[in-house]
Amino acid sequence: MGYVLSAVARVLEQPTAWGAACEMAVLAGPLWAAALLGLLLGWAWRPRWAAGLVATADSHPAPLTFATLEFWRTQLPARIRAPLAQYVGAAGPAPPPQQEDDSSLLGSSEMANEQLAVGKDDLMNLWRLVEGRDGGPAWIKMMEKALPAMTYQAWRRDPQTGPPQYQSSTIFENANPEEVRDFFGDDQFRMSNKWDDMLIYHKTLEECQTTGTMKVHWVRKFPFFCSDREYIIARRIWKLGGAYYCVTKGVPCSSIPRRNKPRRVDVYYSSWCIRPVESRRGNSGLTACEVLLFHHEDMGIPYEIAKIGIRQGMWGCVKRIEPGLRAYQKARAAGEPLSQSALMAHINTKVGDNFVRGLESNDDQSDIVEAEEKPAKNRVARFLVLGGAVALACTLDQGLLTKALIFGVARKFVGQRNTL
């Protein structure tokens, strides 16, 4: 504050308007420089050269393209880039997704390493989400909709870090888990039927005939004010009893370089639990199928804006799933051959009841450990707070009122921690 007041005094002391203007320019110069730097950094948010500063998974560093004039020209807004086109040449359209030889689908060294794809820890995480034992914040109900043969409910929660998370329950009448499993895993039908009209490109990069794990390249179309998004996802299916646990998440991929457009989405999680349930029509038997979906992704859009867009467009996307499933059932009944991705969905890893009992015992042990550690942590926190209050009170020589105030605040803070 003293620096600002002295700077204003210097401006007022100038005898001429020109001198005052120069003094104000000196004062405002750092502020404008900081604002300009912020705009440049915001525009270049997650730039392509950031990925080149980190070595890729195969230990081959990506080329540092940020030192070229062509790279920095593509970072500029269109209204600035257009006048420069006559000097340095206009930027060409984004190249289409690379086509790879089908021989690369089998025997991949990356797919052989389960940690780079989808493993047991991912199944454990999905199981805890389904059982409501993941330890996350409470879910907030967003909507409840219904069609004659489908009911839908959706929830949202906002973790302390990361994008908003969504949970939904969709119950399809007259459907079995195997049909629904193949339906969601069939990328070819997803595009040809257009029930998922956002998917505009898909290609299987790798697949494992033993576990059914797949690595897939997706490009999804976003609204006109956003560029398209690119996904490299891995998915795998486990069978636990009569339910299927389908884990899909974003994974790194060194064989497909990052591009300016479409933008790569790294944080992506979309997993299902598909299980038979009783029909809500009152029919006897498990004639309906429920899909519990847990989804979150960082699309590169501010979270609050993304939440508004998802809420407005959620039901419009969901209500197209039911007609797509009925068309898929008719195609299966007519004997149409299954696509390769649907055949891969038939390769599941079967999990026994012992695995579930192991998960439950691990959860119980972790609860006991947390219950034992919490009193010790509270005691340490109380000691630090009270010790700091004593040191502060002894340092300040401002009378009894100041010291009483310090001890009162410390006591209140300790009391609040005891209630946690």
Side-chain angles (χ1 to χ4, degrees):
M1 179 62 71
Y3 172 77
V4 175
L5 293 177
S6 62
V8 173
R10 289 199 305 270
V11 172
L12 297 177
E13 290 173 357
Q14 296 297 322
T16 62
W18 175 253
C22 294
E23 197 68 33
M24 292 179 63
V26 173
L27 174 63
L31 299 178
W32 282 107
L36 181 60
L37 180 61
L39 289 175
L40 291 177
L41 292 177
W43 180 259
W45 183 38
R46 291 187 179 178
R48 290 175 294 176
W49 55 265
L53 298 179
V54 182
T56 54
D58 56 359
S59 298
H60 295 289
L64 299 179
T65 59
F66 62 89
T68 63
L69 177 62
E70 176 64 21
F71 167 77
W72 289 109
R73 186 179 62 80
T74 58
Q75 306 304 316
L76 296 174
R79 62 179 181 273
I80 300 178
R81 186 168 65 243
L84 296 178
Q86 56 181 329
Y87 300 106
V88 295
Q98 295 182 354
Q99 301 292 332
E100 299 181 3
D101 188 5
D102 291 339
S103 62
S104 66
L105 299 181
L106 301 178
S108 169
S109 59
E110 291 188 31
M111 188 60 72
N113 186 353
E114 191 179 83
Q115 293 182 353
L116 292 179
V118 186
K120 183 178 67 175
D121 292 341
D122 299 294
L123 172 61
M124 295 171 62
N125 180 52
L126 176 57
W127 181 85
R128 291 190 176 100
L129 285 170
V130 172
E131 299 297 325
R133 304 173 66 171
D134 64 306
W139 295 96
I140 303 172
K141 193 167 186 178
M142 294 176 58
M143 66 173 60
E144 182 173 359
K145 300 283 186 178
L147 293 174
M150 184 189 80
T151 57
Y152 178 77
Q153 293 177 297
W155 298 264
R156 191 198 77 240
R157 68 182 183 183
D158 298 315
Q160 293 183 353
T161 59
Q165 299 176 0
Y166 296 89
Q167 175 188 356
S168 66
S169 170
T170 310
I171 297 179
F172 299 100
E173 301 289 344
N174 301 320
N176 60 65
E178 288 72 24
E179 291 175 337
V180 178
R181 175 202 63 192
D182 297 348
F183 170 70
F184 280 109
D186 196 330
D187 292 337
Q188 287 84 345
F189 188 83
R190 185 185 289 258
M191 280 192 62
S192 62
N193 182 262
K194 296 188 181 301
W195 68 265
D196 183 1
D197 58 354
M198 293 182 66
L199 184 64
I200 59 176
Y201 174 84
H202 73 89
K203 181 176 177 60
T204 301
L205 303 177
E206 303 170 10
E207 60 185 24
C208 176
Q209 297 292 337
T210 302
T211 63
T213 307
M214 299 178 64
K215 182 182 286 187
V216 183
H217 183 198
W218 274 7
V219 177
R220 297 180 67 82
K221 184 176 182 60
F222 271 54
F224 66 93
F225 53 85
C226 296
S227 61
D228 296 341
R229 296 299 192 264
E230 176 185 58
Y231 301 80
I232 307 296
I233 59 177
R235 56 193 181 199
R236 181 178 176 182
I237 302 176
W238 284 265
K239 185 176 182 181
L240 178 57
Y244 293 94
Y245 288 76
C246 312
V247 175
T248 303
K249 67 175 187 178
V251 293
C253 182
S254 59
S255 60
I256 300 182
R258 293 177 180 271
R259 297 169 293 163
N260 190 29
K261 293 182 180 181
R263 171 180 285 184
R264 178 77 57 87
V265 175
D266 295 311
V267 179
Y268 179 83
Y269 183 85
S270 187
S271 299
W272 304 271
C273 174
I274 303 175
R275 57 190 181 186
V277 294
E278 293 184 2
S279 172
R280 297 201 172 186
R281 297 174 178 175
N283 302 332
S284 61
L286 304 178
T287 60
C289 179
E290 181 184 28
V291 179
L292 285 175
L293 170 66
F294 300 89
H295 180 97
H296 67 265
E297 63 178 290
D298 190 346
M299 299 175 287
I301 302 173
Y303 294 158
E304 294 302 322
I305 297 178
K307 286 195 292 188
I308 295 174
I310 291 174
R311 184 178 182 86
Q312 296 298 323
M314 178 180 290
W315 177 240
C317 295
V318 170
K319 67 182 181 181
R320 289 197 295 268
I321 299 178
E322 199 270 338
L325 175 62
R326 304 310 172 189
Y328 193 74
Q329 289 176 324
K330 292 180 180 178
R332 293 281 296 272
E336 294 187 9
L338 293 174
S339 65
Q340 179 61 25
S341 58
L343 289 174
M344 288 297 298
H346 289 196
I347 305 176
N348 313 139
T349 303
K350 293 181 174 60
V351 179
D353 294 335
N354 292 333
F355 180 78
V356 177
R357 284 195 290 268
L359 291 178
E360 293 175 344
S361 63
N362 290 338
D363 283 350
D364 295 338
Q365 292 177 1
S366 63
D367 293 341
I368 294 174
V369 171
E370 289 180 1
E372 292 176 350
E373 290 181 353
K374 188 173 181 180
K377 292 180 179 178
N378 285 341
R379 285 193 294 269
V380 173
R382 291 177 61 187
F383 175 77
L384 293 176
V385 172
L386 291 176
V390 171
L392 182 60
C394 294
T395 302
L396 296 177
D397 188 13
Q398 299 295 333
L400 294 176
L401 182 61
T402 301
K403 295 179 180 180
L405 178 61
I406 293 174
F407 281 114
V409 172
R411 243 192 344 262
K412 183 177 181 181
F413 181 78
V414 171
Q416 289 178 349
R417 287 197 58 88
N418 288 337
T419 60
L420 295 179

